[in-house]
Each structure stands twice: as structure tokens, then as C-alpha cells.
Amino acid sequence: MKTIELSHGGGGVQMNRLIRDLFFHHFGNEILLRGEDAAVLAMAGPLAFTTDGFTVSPLRFPGGDIGKLAIAGTVNDLAMMGARPEYLACSFIIEEGFALDELAQIVRSMADELAVSGARIVCGDTKVVPRGAADGLFITTSGVGSVRCPGISAGAVQAGDAILVSRDVGRHGACILMARDGLQLGSDLKSDCATLWPLVEALLAEGIVPHALRDATRGGLSAVLNEWATGSQVGLALAEAAIPVSDPVRGLCELYGFEPFDLANEGTLILAVSAEQAPAAEAVLLRFNAQAACIGEAVADHPGKVVLTSPWGSRRYLELPAGELLPRIC
Amino acid sequence: MKTIELSHGGGGVQMNRLIRDLFFHHFGNEILLRGEDAAVLAMAGPLAFTTDGFTVSPLRFPGGDIGKLAIAGTVNDLAMMGARPEYLACSFIIEEGFALDELAQIVRSMADELAVSGARIVCGDTKVVPRGAADGLFITTSGVGSVRCPGISAGAVQAGDAILVSRDVGRHGACILMARDGLQLGSDLKSDCATLWPLVEALLAEGIVPHALRDATRGGLSAVLNEWATGSQVGLALAEAAIPVSDPVRGLCELYGFEPFDLANEGTLILAVSAEQAPAAEAVLLRFNAQAACIGEAVADHPGKVVLTSPWGSRRYLELPAGELLPRIC
């Protein structure tokens, strides 16, 4: 079996060959192939710019792998600012001895996910560390995109806004937990890992003006909603029964004592939009996933707080998660 | 001693506190403090865009640390495309148990180095992995800058061009080797680690039009010159005695059997410029470092090859380095 050697990160003959045969082969485009240390791009502002490191374990999980996750994650961060994802950079930190076949599979998975948004990898970096200095593979992806809809912000939610979610929540976190523990609950639970740009593009094409938009990654729905409540100084009032959670995710949460709203998602967005635009926005979301739902509204009461009302009428705060639920989720 | 815990990467309360108290405190600027997943930038094209992962060991070395290196390295990649470094993103992968004090020192070092070019960190990401899954700390920095002098390229060297180097070569590689092996050669050998934008800005201000420009990092002078010879299909003819190498670097190379031209630099640039502009360019370089020198020229002979002439008149090829000299050099 061919494996990554230290020389693949040495800046010499072997590194050049790896870059050409693997990265250029799968990511090849006119800008990347120039092979300069920095890519030169013709772009007009305003731009969105983002970065994310990916350390997920296991590297492959039902519904995706670290490569798909790295592309979708960075593309989604751009899309959440109303920006069309255009150019990506990727930096690999690889442990000596990592199987070349596995690396190739991950790179192919990245290339496939790029095709969903049309974004291109235009520069990159490869480091190889000795055995034991990293666990397999870490990928950091950064991206730039052109902002199509300015003004989207965690600070722009207004009392009266509707809060919508694009699908059932908690899948990615639950899926990694299952994969990590080798659980087989007889379910076909898959991560929601996906590129959200087509969905955002469809919302913008319908004239929807998002006030706030966020994919609910680490910290899940709870983290996003608390950030919005604090950032916009509004209250958020949610109907617990309206928040879609799949049966396997709910079952796993009961087993482990997790809150499904705290679990990470990797292809699920939360949208705050004016009450007038809410029905049109929900119709777009439903075209992509039947689980999409309006889950509540922003209110002038209890600013900075997220309040869940249970099906029985009791109310509780949904807090920002504390502690570490699950390391290396993404 | 306070240390990094898994919860610092969990997306919840502890991560928010770390970001606010450490990263926002030292890197704080109006764009970063917006706290969105992606920064929105008002920039006009053309842009340069680059990324680099840093895994250097040890984290601190004479002349710098991983923080200074991460900022200088990414800023330099932009500067080498003739671009003013403007906005940076940084992604931290931290091992559980890493000392908070040490992290704070590295972050301060990053902030200090940012001040040299005026670039700003506008977005970032923090992942914490369990003990043993990474060795201490890895930083991936990405950057965008606006191109001030278009057309600089490894493919733009012309026969007749002068080849200049901004200072003595091989320092960073030699310094890491010494630090790694605990050698004390009685020398005060320091890494050349430095931000090169002020030097590039001064060259451009003098009207110098670089044909090619590169900081000689992994693979050293040898890698850069071979890339230019191949990319531009010219020969490069160098006078070995003209290439500045400090005594401690030369001594260490003799001890270990290394070629000083293969050793990494982290603040040393190579410039190809027309023969007419060479004296003016050399004068600028000399203002920054007395070791700057013209080391040879591009020729129509032996295209794709780099030829060194020794002080005794013998000639040899300088090849692209092969194998791995020294892992985790940067």
C-alpha cells in the first residue's frame, strides 16, 4: 500500500509530484494550475472571506467524509453571508503513513462537493508531520465569495421576524456519535452534510431578503439562536413541537441525555425573515426538504433570551451549550 | 496552570469566552468584532489569495515562533505576488492540555507581526482535539491582498534578467535544526523569519517591476530557482561565491552534509528583474540588509536548468531538492 511519506511535505520533487498527480488532477482549473504561491483573482467587492479547520473523527461517516465536510462547511459560511462561493484555498496537514488511496478518495469527494456550488480551489498547501504528531488528516479550507445580498447579520433580527429551519436538526452530531461508538441502532441515520448554496441562491432568486442566516454547526440550533438573541437584542420564542427532529436522532439523544438542539448540523440552515416574506421563504425551503418548518418568531419580550414552549404549554430557556458534547465533530 | 480543554472547541460558552478574551482582545478590529462566520470586505480586484499550514517544531525558536511564522508566511505569499496584504484568516488546531499562557504568547506574537504590514485578522476558527491527536498547536493562515503590480510570475523570467537575493540564505532551516537537536554551536544563529511587505513596497515605490518574486521557504533557493527555470524555460546561471551564506549556517551544513541552498528561509526573497533595473533594485535591497546581492542571471542556454559556477570555475547543476531534509520546518 502506498502511503504519505515525510518527503511529500518537503518542498521538493516528491511534493511537486503529489501536488500535480493528486491535487491538480482533481481540482485542476486555470488559476490553480498557474502554481504560484498565491492565486490572483479578478473579483469585485464586497467580498465574504472565511476559514474553517476540520478534524472530524472518523474521517468517513454515513453521509460524507472530511473532504465533503471541508468543502460544504466553507462554502456554507460564505453562503450564510449571502455570498456566492467562488474561490477556495485548502491546506492539508497529513500524518506520515496515511494511505494515499484514502487521501485520493477524500480529494475526489472534495471535487464532487465543489461541483455543487461551482466554487473552485485556487491555492493550497501540504504539510506532512511525523507519525504520532497528528491523527491522520486535518484539512483547513478558506474561501472568498461575492456578496449578493448585503446586510445579513446576527445583529439584524427584528421583533416580528419569523424563524425558519431548513430541515430536521441534529443529524450530523448524532451520526458522528454513532460512527464513533460503533452503534448500529438499526437505523439508516445519515449526516445532513451538504452544500447550502443552491438553497440560498433559490431564496435570493425569489426575492427573499434574509435578516439573519446561519448554518447550525457546532453548538447546533441552540448556539445560533442564542447568538442572534444576544446580537440583535430580541427575544426568540420557539414552539418546541415545531422543531423537526428525526426519530433516530431523538432516540440517540434520549439514550445519551443530549439535547437535540445542541447537536451539530452540517447542512441545515436557520433563517430569520420578515413575517411578510415567511410563507414565500418556507415554500422555497420545502422545495429542498419536506422537513423545513417555521419554528417560532422574534419578539420584543425577554431580549437576549431564547424561550422554548413545550407542547404542554410549559416554557424553558434554551441556553448556549456549555462543556464539550463530542470532540472532533467537524 | 490553565490549559486548553476540549470545551474550548465545543461551540458553546467556553469557546465564546476564549475567542473574546484571547483572539478578539489581541486581534480586535471592527470587522473581526462583527463576529459573523464570514467577514465582509470592501475590496476591489485584482486580488491575491493564499493559504499555508504551520506545524513547526519546536513552537518557539531563535528569531520567532509559530505565530510570527504563520503571519509572516502568509503575508509574504501575498507580497510575492505584488499584493498589499490586507485581510487574514486564522484557524487554530489545538491539542487538549496546551498551556493557555503559551497560546496567549503566540497570539501576541501574531499581533506584533501583523503590525509590520498593517494586515488584519478578520475571521478565524478554533478546534480542540483530544490529547495525542495533534502535537501541541497547528495554525493555518489564509490571506487576501490587493495586487499593486500585476504580472509577477514564475513563468515571466526572461533571458538577460538579473537574479537577486535579499539576504544570506538558509537561516531558518539551520536554526530549526539547531533548536531541534539542542545544539549550541556557540553562535547566535537566528531564523530570518520576517514580514517582507515593507521591502516589496519599497521596491515598487522605486518603480521596480519584478518579473518573478518569491520567498525561498521549503526547498530553499534551489526550489525557487528550479521552478523559475522550468516555468519560464530559461537557464539560470549563478555564481556560487556570490550567494551569501552566514558562517554558522555554512558550518552546520558541513556538519550535517546539507546544501545551504536547499535549506528553508522564512524572510528572504529572490527577485528576477531586468538588467537595467538591477542596480536600483539591489540598492533598495541593501537598504534593508547589507547581505543582499546579485547572484546571477537568466540565460537562453540550458533552459529549465540551474547552473552554479564555483569560485574555481567548475560548473554543476543545482537540482530541485529530493527527500525530506527536515520535517516540521514550518
Side-chain angles (χ1 to χ4, degrees):
Chain A
M1 187 180 67
K2 284 192 181 161
T3 60
I4 290 289
E5 296 166 18
L6 288 171
S7 61
H8 285 115
V13 173
Q14 292 84 354
M15 188 171 93
N16 284 6
R17 198 175 297 141
L18 178 73
I19 290 173
R20 200 181 54 230
D21 294 350
L22 185 59
F23 301 129
F24 282 12
H25 178 71
H26 287 289
F27 298 148
N29 59 67
E30 178 257 331
I31 302 172
L32 181 66
L33 295 177
R34 287 181 206 150
E36 303 287 349
D37 275 355
V40 173
L41 315 173
M43 290 188 80
L47 303 180
F49 179 33
T50 190
T51 193
D52 268 309
F54 294 89
T55 63
V56 68
S57 171
L59 292 173
R60 261 180 287 169
F61 48 82
D65 63 18
I66 189 174
K68 179 178 183 181
L69 189 61
I71 299 300
T74 292
V75 160
N76 289 350
D77 278 352
L78 297 172
M80 294 308 115
M81 297 305 289
R84 170 184 290 278
E86 296 186 66
Y87 302 108
L88 267 54
C90 64
S91 167
F92 293 88
I93 296 175
I94 315 172
E95 185 185 11
E96 177 190 13
F98 194 78
L100 258 173
D101 278 355
E102 192 172 359
L103 183 61
Q105 192 170 347
I106 288 164
V107 167
R108 276 194 299 272
S109 159
M110 295 173 79
D112 290 346
E113 197 62 21
L114 284 165
V116 179
S117 64
R120 289 181 289 170
I121 287 180
V122 292
C123 54
D125 186 55
T126 309
K127 293 291 181 329
V128 179
V129 297
R131 274 171 218 277
D135 183 20
L137 173 69
F138 301 144
I139 303 177
T140 297
T141 37
S142 308
V144 291
S146 48
V147 176
R148 299 303 170 96
C149 180
I152 299 174
S153 165
V157 183
Q158 295 165 27
D161 280 359
I163 309 295
L164 293 92
V165 62
S166 67
R167 60 170 299 168
D168 57 303
V169 301
R171 278 188 173 260
H172 182 72
C175 164
I176 293 296
L177 180 65
M178 272 189 55
R180 192 90 53 87
D181 279 8
L183 287 178
Q184 305 285 347
L185 292 184
S187 83
D188 58 350
L189 180 63
K190 275 190 188 162
S191 168
D192 58 317
C193 179
T195 288
L196 290 168
W197 171 245
L199 176 48
V200 174
E201 195 175 28
L203 286 167
L204 301 182
E206 291 291 330
I208 305 296
V209 180
H211 293 173
L213 191 61
R214 193 64 71 87
D215 58 331
T217 56
R218 273 182 296 177
L221 183 70
S222 306
V224 172
L225 294 179
N226 273 282
E227 197 176 333
W228 289 2
T230 308
S232 299
Q233 277 302 299
V234 292
L236 294 176
L238 304 182
E240 188 163 0
I243 305 173
V245 182
S246 70
D247 287 340
V249 169
R250 199 179 295 278
L252 211 70
C253 281
E254 280 169 12
L255 196 61
Y256 282 83
F258 284 158
E259 167 78 84
F261 311 137
D262 290 354
L263 290 184
N265 309 272
E266 290 292 344
T268 302
L269 66 77
I270 321 294
L271 165 67
V273 73
S274 71
E276 295 71 41
Q277 288 207 315
E282 191 174 359
V284 172
L285 297 181
L286 285 167
R287 275 180 9 221
F288 285 79
N289 193 302
Q291 299 290 311
C294 180
I295 59 174
E297 59 173 344
V299 295
D301 284 351
H302 54 83
K305 294 288 179 189
V306 182
V307 174
L308 277 182
T309 301
S310 79
W312 305 275
S314 64
R315 287 153 53 102
R316 64 181 174 102
Y317 289 129
L318 185 68
E319 305 277 1
L320 187 63
E324 172 54 278
L325 294 176
L326 203 56
R328 300 184 68 186
I329 191 86
C330 61
Chain B
M1 187 181 66
K2 284 192 180 164
T3 60
I4 290 288
E5 296 166 17
L6 288 171
S7 61
H8 286 116
V13 173
Q14 292 84 352
M15 188 171 94
N16 283 7
R17 198 175 297 142
L18 178 74
I19 290 173
R20 200 180 54 231
D21 294 351
L22 185 60
F23 301 129
F24 282 10
H25 178 71
H26 287 288
F27 299 147
N29 60 67
E30 178 256 330
I31 301 172
L32 181 66
L33 295 177
R34 286 180 206 150
E36 303 286 349
D37 275 355
V40 173
L41 314 173
M43 289 188 81
L47 304 179
F49 179 34
T50 189
T51 193
D52 266 309
F54 294 88
T55 63
V56 68
S57 170
L59 292 173
R60 260 182 289 170
F61 48 82
D65 63 16
I66 190 174
K68 179 178 183 181
L69 190 61
I71 298 300
T74 292
V75 160
N76 289 350
D77 278 352
L78 296 172
M80 294 307 116
M81 297 305 288
R84 169 184 290 276
E86 298 187 64
Y87 302 109
L88 266 55
C90 63
S91 166
F92 294 87
I93 296 175
I94 314 172
E95 184 185 11
E96 178 191 12
F98 194 79
L100 257 174
D101 279 353
E102 193 173 358
L103 183 61
Q105 192 170 346
I106 288 165
V107 167
R108 276 194 299 270
S109 160
M110 295 174 78
D112 290 345
E113 197 61 23
L114 284 165
V116 179
S117 65
R120 290 182 288 172
I121 287 180
V122 292
C123 54
D125 185 55
T126 309
K127 293 288 180 334
V128 180
V129 297
R131 274 172 220 276
D135 182 21
L137 174 67
F138 302 144
I139 302 177
T140 297
T141 36
S142 308
V144 291
S146 48
V147 177
R148 299 302 169 98
C149 181
I152 298 173
S153 165
V157 182
Q158 295 164 27
D161 280 0
I163 309 296
L164 293 92
V165 62
S166 68
R167 61 170 300 168
D168 58 301
V169 301
R171 278 187 174 261
H172 182 73
C175 165
I176 293 296
L177 180 64
M178 273 188 56
R180 193 90 54 89
D181 279 10
L183 287 177
Q184 304 284 347
L185 293 182
S187 82
D188 57 349
L189 180 65
K190 275 189 188 163
S191 168
D192 59 315
C193 180
T195 289
L196 290 168
W197 170 246
L199 177 48
V200 173
E201 194 174 29
L203 286 168
L204 300 182
E206 290 291 330
I208 305 297
V209 180
H211 293 172
L213 191 62
R214 193 65 71 87
D215 58 331
T217 56
R218 273 180 298 176
L221 184 69
S222 307
V224 172
L225 294 179
N226 272 282
E227 196 175 333
W228 289 3
T230 307
S232 299
Q233 277 301 298
V234 292
L236 294 176
L238 304 182
E240 187 163 0
I243 305 173
V245 181
S246 72
D247 287 339
V249 169
R250 200 180 294 280
L252 211 71
C253 281
E254 280 169 12
L255 196 63
Y256 282 84
F258 285 158
E259 167 78 83
F261 312 138
D262 290 355
L263 290 184
N265 309 274
E266 290 292 345
T268 303
L269 66 77
I270 322 293
L271 165 67
V273 72
S274 73
E276 295 72 42
Q277 289 207 312
E282 192 174 358
V284 173
L285 297 182
L286 284 167
R287 277 183 5 223
F288 286 80
N289 194 300
Q291 299 290 309
C294 180
I295 59 173
E297 58 172 344
V299 295
D301 282 352
H302 53 82
K305 292 289 180 188
V306 183
V307 175
L308 278 182
T309 301
S310 80
W312 306 276
S314 65
R315 288 154 51 103
R316 64 180 173 102
Y317 289 129
L318 186 68
E319 306 276 3
L320 187 63
E324 173 52 278
L325 295 175
L326 203 57
R328 301 185 65 186
I329 191 83
C330 61

